[in-house]
Amino acid sequence: MLSLNDLPNSFAESMRAQLGEEFDDYVNSLSEPVAYGVRINTLKTDANEVFEKINTEHNQIPWVKEGYYVTDTSVFTKHPFYYAGLYYIQEPSAMTPVTWLEVEPDDKVLDLCAAPGGKSTQIACKLTGKGFLVTNDPSASRCKALLKNIELSGIGNAVVTCADPHELETVYPEFFDRILVDAPCSGEGMFRKDRAVLNAYRE
């Protein structure tokens, strides 16, 4: 939980300038409970099977058909379904970009900054085993986690690459129907979850 006084002054003023009259709503949201989410891997199962075995409170996220609000993720991390790749633990806000991407089953899609793979696995569900997904991250160390999640999710129509965007441009000129760029961010969204990030911002 955070209040206005917890925020670095420079960050607070920047957000006030961007949000205008919605700034107070933003500040109030920092004191609300954190929203946890689970996204069902529809390549392997459906929500009925998952929640029949994991009997816990859940509510569908209105803008994500396969996404659900849950009150606690610990029960999901300990269940065999987690290790079988039947769902992906993901914040509701992180599910939003792929929803807006409007992927169709036969699309050719590039996820340019993909690790650890949450959005790529969501794209793959939209493709339903059709089309083609290139899931890329320029960091070799982060690509290991990306590859693990692609394999765990049972995705067969994807290629994992570790390349600079300019390299991909030469290999796939004007090839993709959809490109997702969820670029590495400032970490400001972590303020409420991790005080260490908040303190590092002040340094």
Side-chain angles (χ1 to χ4, degrees):
M1 304 290 184
L2 294 177
S3 67
L4 178 58
N5 292 333
D6 293 313
L7 300 177
N9 289 335
S10 59
F11 173 75
E13 290 309 310
S14 174
M15 292 302 292
R16 189 188 299 275
Q18 294 179 62
L19 297 176
E21 61 184 21
E22 296 180 334
F23 177 73
D24 288 342
D25 292 336
Y26 165 71
V27 172
N28 291 335
S29 74
L30 297 176
S31 62
E32 295 177 358
V34 175
Y36 299 99
V38 168
R39 181 175 47 75
I40 307 300
N41 179 3
T42 53
L43 297 176
K44 287 189 170 185
T45 187
D46 58 35
N48 289 334
E49 181 180 12
V50 170
F51 292 113
E52 180 181 342
K53 298 296 184 182
I54 306 177
N55 186 14
T56 187
E57 183 180 347
H58 60 281
N59 294 288
Q60 187 172 9
I61 298 170
W63 63 93
V64 185
K65 182 179 179 181
E66 65 279 11
Y68 291 83
Y69 289 114
V70 295
T71 55
D72 181 18
T73 59
S74 61
V75 64
F76 291 93
T77 61
K78 298 172 184 176
H79 198 278
F81 279 5
Y82 176 70
Y83 300 97
L86 270 61
Y87 50 77
Y88 193 95
I89 298 170
Q90 190 175 27
E91 290 191 4
S93 61
M95 303 178 195
T96 304
V98 173
T99 302
W100 287 348
L101 198 61
E102 298 183 342
V103 174
E104 298 292 335
D106 291 323
D107 280 347
K108 298 181 289 291
V109 185
L110 169 63
D111 187 356
L112 195 59
C113 313
K119 295 177 180 67
S120 280
T121 55
Q122 186 177 1
I123 290 169
C125 289
K126 299 288 186 184
L127 291 174
T128 65
K130 304 174 184 177
F132 182 57
L133 170 63
V134 175
T135 177
N136 176 79
D137 200 278
S139 167
S141 61
R142 288 173 57 81
C143 264
K144 294 178 182 178
L146 173 59
L147 177 59
K148 176 184 177 182
N149 283 317
I150 292 295
E151 292 179 338
L152 189 64
S153 297
I155 299 167
N157 57 329
V159 172
V160 177
T161 59
C162 180
D164 182 273
H166 295 297
E167 296 177 90
L168 293 174
E169 184 181 17
T170 62
V171 178
Y172 298 103
E174 300 182 13
F175 178 76
F176 296 104
D177 301 297
R178 303 279 190 275
I179 297 176
L180 177 64
V181 182
D182 184 26
C185 66
S186 63
E188 293 161 356
M190 294 291 291
F191 283 175
R192 186 169 59 165
K193 295 176 64 176
D194 189 344
R195 289 276 177 166
V197 177
L198 180 60
N199 294 334
Y201 190 95
R202 292 193 176 97
E203 295 175 357

